[in-house]
Structures are given as structure tokens and as C-alpha cells.
Amino acid sequence: MTQTDYIVIQAKEDGVNVIGLTRGNDTKFHHSEKLDCGEVMIAQFTDHTSAMKIRGKADVHTAYGVVSSEGKD
Ligand code: TRP
């Protein structure tokens, strides 16, 4: 079982997408979660999730620090 730190994503605009990508030979989207401005998602990397893609403006808090994804404007 893969045990990892949680990451915290806080949306800075409406319609931010948090997309989970599968672990293993195939790398595919398996889940997409939509956050509106101010909403927070707390997530882990798991046996099923090896990567996450964040679309839209958001702050991502990780063990490595805080990174901000930019919106399109
Ligand atoms: N069922 C997914 C899993 O266990 C749930 C999940 C965990 C997830 N972390 C995620 C979905 C990050 C999207 C993004 O892997």
C-alpha cells in the first residue's frame, strides 16, 4: 500500500479541476474533481493515483512547499 503525505489544493477561481492519473503502465485520467473559488481538496497519492494535474488558478500545499498554478488570463 502506497502511503504518502496529503497535499492540499485551494482553488483561487471557480472551476478549478483536480485530475487524478493512474499508476502503472497506462497513464490515464481516472477522476476529475471541480473546485470553486476558496474550496479546498485534501488528497493523497495512492496505489491508483501516481500523478495529479491541476487546471486553473490554485495554491497547492505540499511537503516541498507551496506552488501556485496560474489561470489562463
Ligand atoms: N480512488 C482514488 C484513489 O484511491 C481517489 C483519489 C486519491 C484521487 N487521490 C486522488 C482522485 C487525487 C483524484 C486526485 O487513488
Side-chain angles (χ1 to χ4, degrees), residues 18-21 30-32 41 43-49 51-52:
V18 180
I19 300 159
L21 292 95
H30 67 72
H31 186 90
S32 175
M41 182 167 168
Q44 269 180 310
F45 293 96
T46 68
D47 288 346
H48 299 112
T49 304
M52 289 179 227

Side-chain angles (χ1 to χ4, degrees), residues 4-72:
T4 63
D5 288 340
Y6 286 90
I7 71 165
V8 178
I9 302 136
Q10 183 169 41
K12 294 293 175 189
E13 66 181 6
D14 286 349
V16 170
N17 274 295
V18 180
I19 300 159
L21 292 95
T22 54
R23 190 177 296 284
N25 292 332
D26 296 333
T27 306
K28 292 187 177 160
F29 288 8
H30 67 72
H31 186 90
S32 175
E33 200 65 45
K34 198 161 261 185
L35 304 180
D36 283 335
C37 190
E39 286 186 329
V40 166
M41 182 167 168
I42 303 164
Q44 269 180 310
F45 293 96
T46 68
D47 288 346
H48 299 112
T49 304
S50 66
M52 289 179 227
K53 171 171 171 171
I54 293 157
R55 297 189 67 162
K57 203 170 178 205
D59 288 343
V60 183
H61 300 255
T62 74
Y64 308 102
V66 184
V67 62
S68 298
S69 67
E70 308 282 336
K72 263 193 184 165

